[in-house]
Amino acid sequence: MTFDQSILDSETTLLAFAGKDVVYTRAGYNCPWRAIQGRTDFEQTDNNGVLISFQSADWIGQASSLVDEMGTRIVPTRGDRIYRYSNETTFIYEVLNLGNIPCYRYSDPERFTIRIHTKLIDE
């Protein structure tokens, strides 16, 4: 398989125009990150047969830009947080699993782009 530079160029352009500056946090470490806000609709039947519908707030950005203080890529973990600042309001999102679905997934075979599932917990 060969590397397709046009995929990365398209992603960079999309992030530049549609992305938002957010801060990914874990255990006191803050990583500035540019990401596009999306969503995932999720349905699951609970143990009583009741259908539960849920919509996550997803953050989609370059995986290589999500790094810790040592420069190592961050693997999203349930409980991490993403902060988005808008005017005088701070929106706080918590990383979460969607039932049996992990809290993140890569959006392409080369793992350039990562999608992180969250929910808004405070503003």
Side-chain angles (χ1 to χ4, degrees), residues 84-91 123:
R84 181 176 68 85
Y85 304 98
S86 178
N87 298 321
E88 295 181 15
T89 305
T90 301
F91 297 91
E123 65 177 77

Side-chain angles (χ1 to χ4, degrees), residues 26-37:
R26 173 184 291 162
Y29 177 73
N30 299 324
C31 175
W33 193 46
R34 187 141 180 103
I36 297 167
Q37 189 171 9

Side-chain angles (χ1 to χ4, degrees), residues 43-101:
E43 291 184 345
Q44 180 177 7
T45 305
D46 71 8
N47 293 337
N48 298 318
V50 176
L51 182 64
I52 300 170
S53 296
F54 180 81
Q55 186 178 83
S56 72
D58 293 350
W59 295 94
I60 306 153
Q62 290 181 339
S64 63
S65 299
L66 197 57
V67 295
D68 66 16
E69 62 273 13
M70 303 299 289
T72 305
R73 278 193 187 185
I74 293 173
V75 176
T77 303
R78 183 176 181 214
D80 291 351
R81 295 197 172 168
I82 294 177
Y83 290 76
R84 181 176 68 85
Y85 304 98
S86 178
N87 298 321
E88 295 181 15
T89 305
T90 301
F91 297 91
I92 305 170
Y93 298 85
E94 188 168 283
V95 176
L96 60 103
N97 297 341
L98 300 177
N100 296 330
I101 299 172

Side-chain angles (χ1 to χ4, degrees), residues 5-19 34 36 62 113:
Q5 182 66 40
S6 65
I7 293 172
L8 190 55
D9 292 343
S10 296
E11 176 187 292
T12 301
T13 301
L14 184 60
L15 281 169
F17 287 101
R34 187 141 180 103
I36 297 167
Q62 290 181 339
T113 308

